[in-house]
């Protein structure tokens, strides 16, 4: 039985997820005693070890199907060891990326079959899906410019504008298909305005 609340943050590169997830954690701490801030790929020692394989190296280091399998190996460990136990004790879990990233990056951006991804969601997540997914939306070129100004490991950032435009379209399609779970946030604005827009959705959706 799920007692906690599971909120995922999604979006392309440079959408400001990391900043915004920290802001939401601060605000939620005032409402809920137990807030867990985590990320994917990673979030558990095993997941973080797999992350190193995924985010470093040449853009073509892994095929989209191999990437999908590595993402799901990391995700299963993260769900088993961090997310599920936190939800079971009633925590609010804020996760920087989750299953929608695989649908977008490996499915729409790459060529991993939707049927493979759907089967992995069914069998590997065992019903551990977000109550709310916040999709931070902005034009691909704006996000890529922000991400390259920030620097850092950039295997996925190096995949080209066309790839990143496919991601944006995929995220908007996910939101249109699952409006009860997803909310699209305009991320092409200043940090305060985006944080306020996120808070309004969280208050309304989660009845705080
Ligand atoms: P981050 O930059 O948001 O920490 O995420 C690391 C990279 O991993 C990012 O470029 C997106 C990518 N990614 C996928 O391709 N598929 C996934 O399922 C996840 C969780 C992340």
């Amino acid at each position: 039985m799920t007692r906690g609340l599971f909120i995922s943050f999604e979006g392309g590169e440079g959408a400001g997820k990391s900043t915004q997830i920290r802001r939401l954690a601060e605000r939620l701490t005032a409402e809920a005693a137990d807030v867990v801030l985590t990320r994917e790929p990673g979030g558990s020692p095993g997941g973080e070890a797999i992350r190193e394989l995924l985010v470093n190296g040449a853009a073509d280091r892994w095929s989209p199907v191999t990437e999908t399998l590595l993402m799901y190996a990391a995700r299963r460990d993260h769900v088993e060891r961090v997310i599920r136990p936190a939800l079971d004790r009633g925590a609010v879990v804020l996760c920087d990326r989750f299953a929608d990233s695989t649908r977008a990056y490996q499915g729409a951006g790459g060529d991993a079959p939707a049927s493979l991804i759907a089967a992995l969601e069914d069998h590997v997540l065992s019903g551990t899906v977000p109550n709310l997914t916040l999709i931070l939306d902005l034009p691909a070129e704006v996000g890529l410019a922000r991400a390259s100004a920030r620097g850092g490991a950039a295997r996925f950032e190096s995949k080209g504008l066309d790839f990143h435009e496919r991601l944006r379209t995929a995220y908007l399609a996910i939101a249109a298909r699952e409006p009860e779970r997803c909310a699209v946030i305009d991320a092409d604005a200043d940090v305060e305005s985006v944080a306020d827009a996120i808070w309004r959705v969280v208050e309304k959706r989660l009845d705080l």
Side-chain angles (χ1 to χ4, degrees):
M1 242 272 286
T2 301
R3 299 195 299 122
L5 273 177
F6 185 12
I7 303 177
S8 61
F9 276 61
E10 294 283 357
E13 307 298 321
K17 286 181 294 87
S18 310
T19 305
Q20 292 299 335
I21 204 168
R22 278 198 308 273
R23 297 290 294 261
L24 180 61
E26 285 161 15
R27 274 175 127 155
L28 276 171
T29 303
E31 307 278 342
D34 189 359
V35 177
V36 173
L37 183 51
T38 189
R39 69 166 181 184
E40 289 211 347
S44 61
E48 290 291 332
I50 297 171
R51 178 188 176 93
E52 290 303 308
L53 298 172
L54 280 160
V55 300
N56 298 311
D60 63 354
R61 180 179 185 186
W62 309 109
S63 75
V65 169
T66 312
E67 259 170 30
T68 300
L69 297 171
L70 287 167
M71 291 292 175
Y72 265 90
R75 185 161 297 136
R76 176 69 190 202
D77 191 64
H78 187 211
V79 166
E80 282 176 358
R81 290 165 198 261
V82 176
I83 297 178
R84 202 64 255 165
L87 293 174
D88 288 344
R89 67 170 191 263
V92 178
V93 175
L94 303 181
C95 193
D96 190 340
R97 299 194 178 282
F98 195 64
D100 296 312
S101 283
T102 310
R103 292 191 197 174
Y105 279 75
Q106 283 66 50
D111 60 1
S115 57
L116 170 67
I117 295 172
L120 288 165
E121 287 183 11
D122 266 8
H123 293 283
V124 176
L125 300 183
S126 312
T128 305
V129 290
N131 303 99
L132 172 63
T133 296
L134 296 158
I135 295 174
L136 273 55
D137 177 60
L138 83 174
E141 62 273 21
V142 177
L144 281 175
R146 282 194 198 168
S148 76
R150 173 187 72 195
R155 188 169 160 257
F156 288 93
E157 284 164 33
S158 69
K159 284 189 183 251
L161 188 58
D162 178 58
F163 175 88
H164 292 280
E165 274 164 354
R166 288 205 299 284
L167 295 185
R168 184 184 192 195
T169 305
Y171 276 125
L172 295 176
I174 291 169
R177 232 178 14 250
E178 295 181 60
E180 59 304 321
R181 174 173 66 88
C182 300
V184 177
I185 305 287
D186 177 7
D188 195 4
D190 63 275
V191 171
E192 290 306 323
S193 316
V194 177
D196 287 344
I198 288 173
W199 185 245
R200 282 195 296 276
V201 170
V202 169
E203 274 186 317
K204 195 159 145 223
R205 294 280 181 113
L206 304 181
D207 210 15
L208 289 174

